[in-house]
Amino acid sequence: MPFQFRDAMCSSALVMALAVPAGMANAQDSGAAESGLADIVVTAQRKQESAQTAAIAIDAVGGDALIARGIGQAEALTKAVPALTVTNGGGSNTSIFLRGVGNITNSSYNDPAVTPSYDGVVLGRAAGAFGAAFYDLARVEVLKGPQGILYGRNATGGAINIIPNRPELGKRSGGFAASIGNYDAVSAEGFVNLPVGDTSALRLAAMRQVHDGYNRDGTDDLDRSGVRAQWLFEPSDRISIRVGGDYTHVGGIGTGGSYIGAYVQGASGYSFVPAGLDSSEGFNTTAANAYRQTALGAPGFGFLTAMNRVQSTDNRYWGVNAEIAIKTGIGTITLLPAYRRSDAESYFYGPAFNTAYTKEKDKQISLEARLAGQKGGVEYVLGGFYFNETIDNVGEYNQEFVLPIQHYTHKTKSWASFGQLTGHLSDRFRLVGGLRYTHDRKSIDGIINNFIAFCGGIPPVTPPASFAAGCAAPGALPRFPNFTSTADTVNWLIANGFIAQGSTNEARDQVYPLSNGRGLILKTNYPVVASGTYSRATWKVGAEFDAGPRSLLYATVETGYRAGGFQLSEGNPAYDPEFITAYTIGSKNRFFGNRVQLNVEAFYWKYKDQQINYFSISPDSVLINTIDNAGRADIKGFDVDLIVKPFARTTLNGKVQYLNTEYKALTLTTASPRDNINCPSTPTGGLLNDGVTPILAFNCAGRPLLFSPKWTVNMGVEQVIPVSAGAELSASVNSSWRSSQYGAFEYLDFEKIPGYWLTDASLALRLTGTDLSIGLFVQNIENKRRIATPQSSPIGFAIARYTAPRTYGLRVSSSF
């Protein structure tokens, strides 16, 4: 352990102790204040059980804790789950990592390695679940490791289950939580539960969240609203039917970032020049645009221009789903039909290009059927699953002298059969075995058209000769607008005098000489029409032993699989499946009259053929984002979770995760000027189509996996202080430490996110007779914006997206 980390951890522990707020998984709630630690019920194994008796690696956060800690969206879950990282890279895409397993999602057709689900429905895209707010939830469950047996689609890294509160029969109730804060933040949510006769109930919930941008250009703002309705019908104790629908709209300007600096290529390699801008500048301010215009863009080699429009986000997510449960003589039959749709449209600045645009429609239909029961000493879960998804996307990624235009339809059909048996060999010892067979069929029908403005010709005239050729003169070469049509682009070039009248737009590669003689424009035409199937049997074996009335020992070996697929990537249209084998041993314990909880887990994961995203270069010298397979990686470590309730109104919590990750094989293939990668390289023997530039293979074996900090520590304290017969004060402080970690595959110095502390605090007055709570909160007391996602822009900039600054405000909640 590094010296500075040890000293910081010890000094903070003396001040703050180890703790968690009321309502968090396995921590106290109001009903357990006098009786020790409370349980949180989870359904991660398709049955209701305490998280303490579930022989799996799971973190669960209760609905009350989500409100108390201000966790209103997925990105904030990282404060409660040390193993988790959730980032947004622009547009509607969301990237999820658990213990280094995950994928930077730049394109929607790449399945998530950590599978999100909402109300038991597995979602093909993370944005739909994580674009929505966390409101009126029973809990969020984070399962660590492959989920290849009981969940709808295989997940190599884990699963995140977002579970709303269900309607309650015979109960008329409601509640609300509201807050105001700096950055003009307003958050409000509420619910009402209404009985409809003796056998049914209706639950309605809604929310609204807004705040101004954290960046000077207005980005990193929030504008989100949603509504959910559920109806429960239980005509007898053997039949339950629940139908739900939800709708979320996400608007505003959207996710932003700032320039850190730029890499300049010279005879001896790349040198880094700082931008001199701070973390809150944004990409579209006077200062940011002035800095941007000092850089040359290839291959036109003129100076870049200011951002050509303001970002915007207009995303709509909605769906309907049902849960039908029928108790029979052989067990409970559960049916989960669902339909979900996303309509997302965004203009965004990523990654430091000019304005990118994407418009996408995602539709998925799924059906899961399960039979769960017990015969003698054997518990069983048997089931089948069907999934059908269609993605229609149109987009452009404006690099000023290069305009890639993409259109595609991507389809996935997946079905699976699965089963898990638990044999009770004695009252204390159980063996578990599970098997799943998954068959995926994927197809893509799309096209990439690139408009590329070259200085001089192919290959281009490069600096300093490009200045003599006049390419840097204003108006000498076109800076492309944000078109998504090749016809519109050609007509614009004609109308502005860049190419000759009568130039045509044809479904082939074309070259248009510039009318001023200073270069030419190449239009490439690259269709991708492909399909294929992937199949895999995954399995699980495990053992469970009750070492005492409140002590569980368990060990499992489980495999996971994520299907390969097809992509709009010139020269690399397909990628292979990835696989993982996870070995886990753990123990869950309660001691001293249910006042001390100690859970320990050790894990060793073997990861093979990880699907990674990075920027490469195509054989025709075009910048491309590609999905490739990384090779092999090892992931190992341990997790220690301690909760102590030394007094009836005091709760202490500490969680430590040690994580050691290493790529045993990782090769990145690219060429100049996209070869700024901090790994040893060798020529592949191939050349780009200029016949001169060598293609290089970078060997990054020995590097850690992304978003895998070696040490993560969560700790804090909650103290409840009675002030009168019907009122009490609740004070809590929570702090977390993450050691340094890499956030991008180039492994450049700025892409190594430094270690940091993050501390939140709250003070609330609770009126126990009315269930009213009024309190103050502050988040990120340190007021430091830490790098959330670093990125080496393919056009030379070093950029990053940052976490929120210090926020504070007033929160009120009540139920009735």
Side-chain angles (χ1 to χ4, degrees), residues 557-632:
V557 182
E558 188 165 6
T559 62
Y561 142 89
R562 185 158 61 115
F566 303 93
Q567 60 183 328
L568 282 183
S569 179
E570 297 168 74
N572 186 29
Y575 53 93
D576 295 328
E578 69 176 32
F579 310 95
I580 195 167
T581 302
Y583 303 85
T584 304
I585 185 169
S587 176
K588 297 184 177 184
N589 307 274
R590 291 277 181 88
F591 304 110
F592 302 109
N594 199 34
R595 293 186 177 274
V596 175
Q597 175 178 299
L598 177 63
N599 296 342
V600 181
E601 177 205 353
F603 53 89
Y604 178 45
W605 298 356
K606 301 287 288 184
Y607 201 10
K608 181 181 179 183
D609 295 331
Q610 179 189 12
Q611 296 164 13
I612 63 171
N613 294 66
Y614 70 100
F615 279 96
S616 183
I617 199 161
S618 71
D620 56 358
S621 306
V622 174
L623 169 68
I624 58 172
N625 176 257
T626 189
I627 304 170
D628 208 346
N629 295 92
R632 297 178 294 108

Coordinates of all heavy atoms in Angstrom, one line a residue, residues 557-632:
V557 N -17.8 -21.7 -9.0 CA -17.1 -21.5 -10.3 C -18.2 -21.3 -11.3 O -19.1 -22.2 -11.4 CB -16.2 -22.8 -10.6 CG1 -15.5 -22.5 -11.9 CG2 -15.2 -23.1 -9.5
E558 N -18.1 -20.2 -12.1 CA -19.1 -19.9 -13.0 C -18.5 -19.4 -14.3 O -17.5 -18.7 -14.3 CB -20.1 -18.9 -12.4 CG -21.3 -18.6 -13.3 CD -22.4 -17.9 -12.5 OE1 -22.1 -17.5 -11.4 OE2 -23.5 -17.8 -13.1
T559 N -19.1 -19.7 -15.4 CA -18.6 -19.2 -16.7 C -19.6 -18.2 -17.3 O -20.8 -18.2 -17.0 CB -18.4 -20.3 -17.7 OG1 -19.6 -21.0 -18.0 CG2 -17.4 -21.3 -17.2
G560 N -19.1 -17.3 -18.1 CA -19.9 -16.3 -18.8 C -19.5 -16.1 -20.3 O -18.3 -16.5 -20.6
Y561 N -20.4 -15.6 -21.1 CA -20.2 -15.5 -22.5 C -20.9 -14.2 -23.0 O -22.0 -13.9 -22.5 CB -20.7 -16.7 -23.2 CG -21.4 -16.6 -24.5 CD1 -20.6 -16.6 -25.7 CD2 -22.7 -16.4 -24.6 CE1 -21.3 -16.5 -26.9 CE2 -23.4 -16.3 -25.8 CZ -22.6 -16.3 -27.0 OH -23.3 -16.2 -28.2
R562 N -20.3 -13.5 -23.9 CA -20.9 -12.4 -24.6 C -20.7 -12.6 -26.1 O -19.6 -12.8 -26.6 CB -20.4 -11.1 -24.1 CG -21.1 -9.9 -24.7 CD -20.9 -8.6 -23.8 NE -19.5 -8.2 -23.7 CZ -19.0 -7.1 -24.2 NH1 -19.8 -6.2 -24.8 NH2 -17.7 -6.8 -24.0
A563 N -21.8 -12.6 -26.8 CA -21.8 -12.9 -28.2 C -20.9 -11.9 -29.0 O -20.8 -10.8 -28.6 CB -23.2 -13.0 -28.8
G564 N -20.3 -12.4 -30.1 CA -19.7 -11.6 -31.0 C -20.7 -10.8 -31.8 O -21.9 -10.8 -31.5
G565 N -20.2 -10.1 -32.9 CA -21.1 -9.3 -33.7 C -20.5 -8.7 -34.8 O -19.4 -9.0 -35.3
F566 N -21.2 -7.7 -35.4 CA -20.8 -7.0 -36.6 C -20.9 -5.5 -36.4 O -21.7 -5.0 -35.6 CB -21.7 -7.4 -37.8 CG -21.7 -8.9 -38.0 CD1 -22.7 -9.7 -37.4 CD2 -20.8 -9.5 -38.8 CE1 -22.7 -11.1 -37.5 CE2 -20.7 -10.9 -38.9 CZ -21.7 -11.7 -38.3
Q567 N -20.1 -4.8 -37.1 CA -20.0 -3.3 -36.9 C -19.7 -2.6 -38.2 O -19.2 -3.2 -39.2 CB -18.8 -3.1 -35.9 CG -17.5 -3.6 -36.4 CD -16.3 -3.4 -35.4 OE1 -16.3 -2.5 -34.6 NE2 -15.4 -4.3 -35.5
L568 N -20.0 -1.3 -38.1 CA -19.6 -0.4 -39.2 C -18.2 0.0 -39.0 O -17.9 1.1 -38.5 CB -20.5 0.8 -39.3 CG -21.9 0.6 -39.9 CD1 -22.7 1.9 -39.9 CD2 -21.8 0.0 -41.3
S569 N -17.2 -0.8 -39.4 CA -15.8 -0.5 -39.3 C -15.1 -1.0 -40.5 O -15.0 -2.2 -40.8 CB -15.3 -1.2 -38.0 OG -13.9 -1.0 -37.8
E570 N -14.5 -0.1 -41.2 CA -13.9 -0.4 -42.5 C -12.7 -1.3 -42.3 O -11.8 -1.0 -41.5 CB -13.5 0.9 -43.2 CG -14.7 1.7 -43.6 CD -14.2 3.1 -44.0 OE1 -13.7 3.2 -45.2 OE2 -14.4 4.1 -43.3
G571 N -12.7 -2.4 -42.9 CA -11.6 -3.4 -42.8 C -11.7 -4.3 -41.6 O -10.9 -5.3 -41.5
N572 N -12.7 -4.1 -40.7 CA -12.9 -5.0 -39.6 C -14.4 -5.1 -39.2 O -14.8 -4.6 -38.2 CB -12.1 -4.4 -38.4 CG -12.1 -5.4 -37.2 OD1 -12.2 -6.6 -37.4 ND2 -12.0 -4.8 -36.0
P573 N -15.2 -5.7 -40.1 CA -16.6 -5.7 -39.9 C -17.1 -6.6 -38.8 O -18.3 -6.5 -38.4 CB -17.2 -6.1 -41.3 CG -16.1 -6.9 -41.8 CD -14.8 -6.4 -41.4
A574 N -16.3 -7.6 -38.3 CA -16.8 -8.6 -37.4 C -15.9 -8.7 -36.2 O -14.7 -8.4 -36.3 CB -16.9 -9.9 -38.0
Y575 N -16.4 -9.1 -35.1 CA -15.6 -9.4 -33.9 C -16.1 -10.6 -33.2 O -17.3 -11.0 -33.4 CB -15.6 -8.2 -32.9 CG -16.9 -7.7 -32.5 CD1 -17.6 -8.1 -31.4 CD2 -17.6 -6.7 -33.3 CE1 -18.8 -7.7 -31.0 CE2 -18.9 -6.2 -32.9 CZ -19.5 -6.7 -31.8 OH -20.7 -6.3 -31.4
D576 N -15.3 -11.2 -32.4 CA -15.6 -12.6 -31.8 C -16.3 -12.4 -30.5 O -16.2 -11.4 -29.8 CB -14.3 -13.4 -31.7 CG -13.7 -13.7 -33.1 OD1 -14.5 -13.8 -34.1 OD2 -12.5 -13.8 -33.2
P577 N -16.8 -13.6 -30.0 CA -17.4 -13.6 -28.6 C -16.3 -13.4 -27.6 O -15.1 -13.6 -27.9 CB -18.0 -14.9 -28.5 CG -18.2 -15.4 -29.9 CD -17.1 -14.8 -30.7
E578 N -16.6 -13.0 -26.4 CA -15.7 -13.0 -25.2 C -16.2 -14.0 -24.2 O -17.4 -14.3 -24.1 CB -15.6 -11.6 -24.6 CG -16.8 -11.1 -23.9 CD -16.5 -9.7 -23.3 OE1 -15.7 -9.0 -23.8 OE2 -17.1 -9.5 -22.2
F579 N -15.3 -14.5 -23.3 CA -15.6 -15.5 -22.3 C -14.9 -15.2 -21.0 O -13.9 -14.5 -21.0 CB -15.1 -16.9 -22.8 CG -15.5 -17.2 -24.2 CD1 -14.7 -16.9 -25.3 CD2 -16.7 -17.8 -24.5 CE1 -15.1 -17.2 -26.6 CE2 -17.1 -18.1 -25.8 CZ -16.3 -17.8 -26.8
I580 N -15.5 -15.7 -19.9 CA -14.9 -15.5 -18.6 C -15.2 -16.7 -17.8 O -16.3 -17.3 -17.9 CB -15.4 -14.2 -18.0 CG1 -14.6 -13.8 -16.8 CG2 -16.9 -14.3 -17.6 CD1 -14.9 -12.4 -16.3
T581 N -14.3 -17.0 -16.9 CA -14.4 -18.0 -15.9 C -14.1 -17.4 -14.6 O -13.0 -16.9 -14.4 CB -13.6 -19.3 -16.1 OG1 -13.8 -19.8 -17.4 CG2 -13.8 -20.3 -15.1
A582 N -15.0 -17.5 -13.6 CA -14.9 -16.8 -12.3 C -14.9 -17.8 -11.2 O -15.8 -18.6 -11.1 CB -16.0 -15.8 -12.1
Y583 N -13.8 -17.7 -10.3 CA -13.7 -18.5 -9.1 C -13.9 -17.6 -8.0 O -13.3 -16.6 -7.8 CB -12.3 -19.2 -9.1 CG -12.0 -20.0 -10.2 CD1 -11.4 -19.4 -11.4 CD2 -12.2 -21.4 -10.3 CE1 -11.0 -20.2 -12.5 CE2 -11.8 -22.2 -11.3 CZ -11.3 -21.6 -12.5 OH -10.9 -22.3 -13.5
T584 N -14.9 -18.0 -7.1 CA -15.2 -17.2 -5.9 C -15.3 -18.0 -4.7 O -15.9 -19.1 -4.7 CB -16.6 -16.5 -6.2 OG1 -16.5 -15.7 -7.4 CG2 -16.9 -15.5 -5.0
I585 N -14.8 -17.5 -3.6 CA -15.0 -18.1 -2.3 C -15.3 -17.0 -1.3 O -14.7 -15.9 -1.4 CB -13.7 -18.9 -1.8 CG1 -14.0 -19.6 -0.5 CG2 -12.5 -18.0 -1.7 CD1 -13.0 -20.6 -0.1
G586 N -16.4 -17.2 -0.5 CA -16.8 -16.1 0.4 C -17.4 -16.6 1.7 O -17.7 -17.8 1.9
S587 N -17.6 -15.6 2.6 CA -18.2 -15.9 3.8 C -19.1 -14.7 4.3 O -18.6 -13.5 4.1 CB -17.1 -16.2 4.9 OG -17.7 -16.4 6.2
K588 N -20.3 -15.0 4.7 CA -21.2 -13.9 5.2 C -21.5 -14.2 6.7 O -22.0 -15.4 7.0 CB -22.4 -13.8 4.4 CG -22.1 -13.4 2.9 CD -23.4 -13.2 2.1 CE -23.1 -12.7 0.7 NZ -24.3 -12.5 -0.1
N589 N -21.4 -13.2 7.6 CA -21.5 -13.5 9.0 C -22.2 -12.4 9.7 O -22.0 -11.2 9.4 CB -20.1 -13.7 9.6 CG -19.3 -14.8 8.9 OD1 -19.4 -15.9 9.2 ND2 -18.5 -14.3 7.9
R590 N -22.9 -12.7 10.8 CA -23.4 -11.8 11.8 C -23.0 -12.3 13.2 O -23.1 -13.5 13.5 CB -25.0 -11.7 11.7 CG -25.5 -11.1 10.5 CD -25.6 -9.6 10.6 NE -26.1 -9.0 9.4 CZ -27.4 -8.7 9.2 NH1 -28.3 -9.1 10.1 NH2 -27.9 -8.1 8.1
F591 N -22.5 -11.4 14.0 CA -22.0 -11.7 15.3 C -22.6 -10.8 16.4 O -23.2 -9.8 16.0 CB -20.4 -11.5 15.3 CG -19.7 -12.3 14.3 CD1 -19.1 -11.7 13.3 CD2 -19.6 -13.7 14.4 CE1 -18.4 -12.4 12.3 CE2 -19.0 -14.5 13.5 CZ -18.3 -13.8 12.4
F592 N -22.3 -11.1 17.6 CA -22.6 -10.2 18.8 C -24.1 -9.7 18.8 O -24.3 -8.5 18.8 CB -21.6 -9.1 18.8 CG -20.2 -9.5 18.9 CD1 -19.4 -9.3 17.8 CD2 -19.7 -10.1 20.0 CE1 -18.0 -9.7 17.9 CE2 -18.4 -10.5 20.1 CZ -17.5 -10.3 19.0
G593 N -25.0 -10.7 18.8 CA -26.4 -10.3 18.9 C -26.9 -9.5 17.7 O -27.7 -8.6 17.8
N594 N -26.4 -9.8 16.5 CA -26.8 -9.2 15.2 C -26.4 -7.7 15.2 O -27.0 -6.9 14.5 CB -28.3 -9.3 15.1 CG -28.8 -9.0 13.7 OD1 -28.1 -9.4 12.7 ND2 -30.0 -8.4 13.5
R595 N -25.2 -7.4 15.8 CA -24.7 -6.0 15.8 C -23.5 -5.9 15.0 O -23.0 -4.7 14.8 CB -24.5 -5.5 17.2 CG -25.9 -5.4 18.0 CD -25.7 -4.7 19.3 NE -27.0 -4.5 20.0 CZ -27.8 -3.5 19.8 NH1 -27.4 -2.6 19.0 NH2 -28.9 -3.4 20.5
V596 N -22.9 -6.9 14.5 CA -21.7 -6.9 13.7 C -21.9 -7.8 12.5 O -22.3 -8.9 12.6 CB -20.4 -7.3 14.5 CG1 -19.2 -7.4 13.6 CG2 -20.2 -6.4 15.7
Q597 N -21.6 -7.2 11.3 CA -21.7 -8.0 10.1 C -20.3 -8.0 9.4 O -19.8 -6.9 9.2 CB -22.8 -7.4 9.2 CG -22.8 -8.1 7.8 CD -23.9 -7.5 6.9 OE1 -25.1 -7.6 7.3 NE2 -23.5 -7.0 5.8
L598 N -19.8 -9.1 9.1 CA -18.5 -9.2 8.4 C -18.7 -10.1 7.2 O -18.9 -11.3 7.4 CB -17.4 -9.7 9.3 CG -16.1 -9.9 8.7 CD1 -15.5 -8.6 8.1 CD2 -15.1 -10.6 9.6
N599 N -18.6 -9.6 6.0 CA -18.6 -10.4 4.8 C -17.3 -10.3 4.1 O -16.7 -9.2 3.9 CB -19.7 -9.9 3.8 CG -21.1 -10.1 4.4 OD1 -21.3 -10.9 5.4 ND2 -22.1 -9.3 3.9
V600 N -16.8 -11.4 3.6 CA -15.5 -11.5 2.9 C -15.6 -12.3 1.7 O -16.3 -13.3 1.6 CB -14.4 -12.1 3.8 CG1 -13.1 -12.2 3.1 CG2 -14.3 -11.4 5.2
E601 N -15.0 -11.8 0.6 CA -15.1 -12.5 -0.7 C -13.7 -12.4 -1.3 O -13.1 -11.4 -1.4 CB -16.1 -11.9 -1.6 CG -16.1 -12.5 -3.0 CD -16.7 -11.6 -4.1 OE1 -17.2 -10.5 -3.7 OE2 -16.6 -11.9 -5.3
A602 N -13.2 -13.5 -1.8 CA -12.0 -13.6 -2.7 C -12.4 -14.1 -4.0 O -13.2 -15.0 -4.2 CB -10.9 -14.5 -2.0
F603 N -11.8 -13.5 -5.1 CA -12.2 -13.9 -6.4 C -11.0 -14.0 -7.4 O -9.9 -13.3 -7.2 CB -13.2 -12.9 -7.0 CG -12.7 -11.4 -6.9 CD1 -12.0 -10.9 -7.9 CD2 -13.0 -10.7 -5.8 CE1 -11.6 -9.5 -7.9 CE2 -12.6 -9.4 -5.7 CZ -11.9 -8.8 -6.8
Y604 N -11.1 -14.8 -8.4 CA -10.1 -14.9 -9.4 C -10.8 -15.2 -10.7 O -11.5 -16.2 -10.9 CB -9.1 -16.1 -9.1 CG -8.1 -16.3 -10.1 CD1 -7.3 -15.3 -10.7 CD2 -7.8 -17.6 -10.6 CE1 -6.4 -15.5 -11.6 CE2 -6.8 -17.9 -11.5 CZ -6.1 -16.8 -12.0 OH -5.1 -17.1 -13.0
W605 N -10.7 -14.2 -11.7 CA -11.4 -14.3 -12.9 C -10.4 -14.5 -14.1 O -9.4 -13.8 -14.1 CB -12.2 -13.1 -13.2 CG -13.3 -12.8 -12.2 CD1 -13.7 -13.6 -11.1 CD2 -14.2 -11.7 -12.1 NE1 -14.7 -13.1 -10.4 CE2 -15.1 -11.9 -11.0 CE3 -14.3 -10.5 -12.9 CZ2 -16.0 -10.9 -10.7 CZ3 -15.3 -9.6 -12.5 CH2 -16.1 -9.8 -11.4
K606 N -10.7 -15.4 -15.0 CA -9.9 -15.6 -16.2 C -10.8 -15.1 -17.4 O -11.8 -15.6 -17.7 CB -9.6 -17.1 -16.4 CG -8.8 -17.7 -15.3 CD -7.4 -17.2 -15.2 CE -6.6 -17.8 -16.4 NZ -5.1 -17.4 -16.3
Y607 N -10.3 -14.0 -18.0 CA -11.0 -13.3 -19.0 C -10.3 -13.5 -20.4 O -9.1 -13.3 -20.5 CB -11.0 -11.8 -18.6 CG -12.0 -10.9 -19.2 CD1 -13.1 -11.4 -19.9 CD2 -11.9 -9.5 -19.1 CE1 -14.1 -10.5 -20.4 CE2 -12.9 -8.7 -19.6 CZ -14.0 -9.2 -20.3 OH -14.9 -8.3 -20.8
K608 N -11.1 -13.9 -21.4 CA -10.5 -14.2 -22.7 C -11.3 -13.5 -23.8 O -12.5 -13.5 -23.8 CB -10.6 -15.7 -22.9 CG -10.0 -16.2 -24.2 CD -10.1 -17.7 -24.3 CE -9.5 -18.2 -25.7 NZ -9.7 -19.6 -25.9
D609 N -10.6 -12.9 -24.7 CA -11.1 -12.3 -25.9 C -12.1 -11.1 -25.6 O -13.1 -11.0 -26.2 CB -11.9 -13.3 -26.8 CG -10.9 -14.4 -27.4 OD1 -9.7 -14.1 -27.6 OD2 -11.4 -15.5 -27.6
Q610 N -11.7 -10.3 -24.6 CA -12.5 -9.2 -24.3 C -12.8 -8.3 -25.5 O -11.9 -8.0 -26.2 CB -11.9 -8.3 -23.2 CG -12.7 -7.1 -22.8 CD -11.9 -6.2 -21.9 OE1 -10.7 -6.3 -21.7 NE2 -12.6 -5.2 -21.3
Q611 N -14.0 -7.9 -25.7 CA -14.4 -7.0 -26.7 C -14.1 -5.5 -26.3 O -14.6 -5.0 -25.3 CB -15.9 -7.1 -27.1 CG -16.2 -8.5 -27.6 CD -17.7 -8.8 -27.6 OE1 -18.5 -7.9 -27.4 NE2 -18.1 -10.0 -27.8
I612 N -13.1 -4.9 -27.0 CA -12.7 -3.6 -26.6 C -13.0 -2.6 -27.8 O -13.0 -3.0 -28.9 CB -11.2 -3.5 -26.2 CG1 -10.3 -3.9 -27.4 CG2 -10.9 -4.4 -25.0 CD1 -8.9 -3.7 -27.2
N613 N -13.2 -1.3 -27.4 CA -13.3 -0.3 -28.4 C -12.1 0.6 -28.4 O -11.7 1.1 -27.3 CB -14.6 0.6 -28.1 CG -15.9 -0.2 -28.2 OD1 -16.1 -1.1 -27.5 ND2 -16.7 0.2 -29.2
Y614 N -11.6 0.9 -29.5 CA -10.5 2.0 -29.6 C -10.5 2.5 -31.0 O -11.0 2.0 -31.9 CB -9.2 1.4 -29.2 CG -8.5 0.4 -30.1 CD1 -7.5 0.8 -31.0 CD2 -8.9 -0.9 -30.2 CE1 -7.0 -0.1 -31.9 CE2 -8.3 -1.8 -31.0 CZ -7.4 -1.4 -31.9 OH -6.8 -2.3 -32.8
F615 N -9.8 3.7 -31.1 CA -9.7 4.3 -32.4 C -8.5 3.8 -33.1 O -7.4 3.8 -32.6 CB -9.6 5.8 -32.3 CG -10.9 6.5 -32.1 CD1 -11.4 6.8 -30.8 CD2 -11.7 6.8 -33.2 CE1 -12.6 7.4 -30.6 CE2 -13.0 7.4 -33.0 CZ -13.4 7.7 -31.7
S616 N -8.7 3.3 -34.4 CA -7.7 2.8 -35.2 C -7.7 3.5 -36.5 O -8.3 4.6 -36.6 CB -7.9 1.3 -35.4 OG -6.9 0.7 -36.2
I617 N -7.1 3.0 -37.5 CA -7.2 3.6 -38.9 C -7.4 2.5 -39.9 O -6.9 1.4 -39.8 CB -5.8 4.4 -39.1 CG1 -6.0 5.4 -40.2 CG2 -4.7 3.4 -39.3 CD1 -4.9 6.4 -40.2
S618 N -8.2 2.8 -40.9 CA -8.6 1.8 -41.9 C -7.5 1.7 -42.9 O -6.7 2.5 -43.0 CB -9.9 2.2 -42.5 OG -9.8 3.3 -43.3
P619 N -7.6 0.6 -43.7 CA -6.6 0.5 -44.8 C -6.6 1.7 -45.8 O -5.6 1.9 -46.4 CB -7.1 -0.8 -45.5 CG -7.8 -1.6 -44.5 CD -8.5 -0.6 -43.6
D620 N -7.7 2.4 -45.9 CA -7.7 3.6 -46.8 C -7.5 4.9 -46.0 O -7.8 5.9 -46.5 CB -9.0 3.7 -47.6 CG -10.2 3.7 -46.8 OD1 -10.1 3.6 -45.5 OD2 -11.3 3.8 -47.3
S621 N -6.8 4.7 -44.9 CA -6.3 5.9 -44.1 C -7.4 6.7 -43.4 O -7.2 7.8 -43.1 CB -5.4 6.8 -45.0 OG -4.4 6.1 -45.6
V622 N -8.5 6.1 -43.2 CA -9.7 6.8 -42.6 C -9.7 6.4 -41.1 O -9.6 5.2 -40.7 CB -11.0 6.4 -43.3 CG1 -12.2 7.0 -42.5 CG2 -11.0 6.9 -44.7
L623 N -9.9 7.4 -40.2 CA -10.0 7.2 -38.8 C -11.3 6.4 -38.6 O -12.3 6.7 -39.0 CB -10.1 8.5 -38.1 CG -10.5 8.5 -36.6 CD1 -9.4 7.8 -35.8 CD2 -10.8 9.9 -36.1
I624 N -11.2 5.3 -37.8 CA -12.3 4.5 -37.5 C -12.3 4.1 -36.0 O -11.3 4.0 -35.4 CB -12.4 3.2 -38.3 CG1 -11.1 2.3 -38.1 CG2 -12.6 3.4 -39.8 CD1 -11.1 0.9 -38.7
N625 N -13.5 4.0 -35.5 CA -13.7 3.4 -34.1 C -14.0 1.9 -34.3 O -15.0 1.6 -35.1 CB -14.8 4.1 -33.4 CG -15.1 3.4 -32.0 OD1 -16.0 2.7 -31.9 ND2 -14.2 3.7 -31.1
T626 N -13.3 1.0 -33.7 CA -13.4 -0.4 -34.0 C -13.6 -1.2 -32.7 O -13.0 -0.8 -31.7 CB -12.2 -0.9 -34.8 OG1 -12.5 -2.2 -35.3 CG2 -10.9 -0.9 -34.0
I627 N -14.3 -2.2 -32.8 CA -14.4 -3.2 -31.7 C -13.5 -4.4 -32.1 O -13.6 -4.9 -33.2 CB -15.9 -3.7 -31.5 CG1 -16.8 -2.5 -31.3 CG2 -15.9 -4.7 -30.4 CD1 -18.3 -2.9 -31.3
D628 N -12.6 -4.8 -31.2 CA -11.7 -5.8 -31.5 C -11.6 -6.7 -30.2 O -12.2 -6.4 -29.2 CB -10.3 -5.3 -31.8 CG -9.5 -6.2 -32.7 OD1 -9.9 -7.4 -32.8 OD2 -8.5 -5.8 -33.3
N629 N -11.0 -7.9 -30.3 CA -10.8 -8.8 -29.2 C -9.5 -8.6 -28.6 O -8.5 -8.7 -29.3 CB -11.1 -10.2 -29.6 CG -12.6 -10.4 -30.0 OD1 -12.9 -10.3 -31.2 ND2 -13.4 -10.7 -29.1
A630 N -9.4 -8.5 -27.3 CA -8.1 -8.1 -26.6 C -7.2 -9.2 -26.4 O -6.0 -9.0 -26.3 CB -8.5 -7.4 -25.3
G631 N -7.7 -10.5 -26.3 CA -6.8 -11.6 -25.9 C -7.1 -12.0 -24.5 O -8.3 -12.2 -24.2
R632 N -6.1 -12.2 -23.6 CA -6.4 -12.7 -22.3 C -6.1 -11.7 -21.2 O -5.2 -10.9 -21.3 CB -5.5 -14.0 -22.1 CG -5.8 -15.1 -23.0 CD -4.9 -16.3 -22.8 NE -3.5 -16.0 -23.2 CZ -2.5 -15.8 -22.3 NH1 -2.8 -15.9 -21.0 NH2 -1.3 -15.5 -22.6

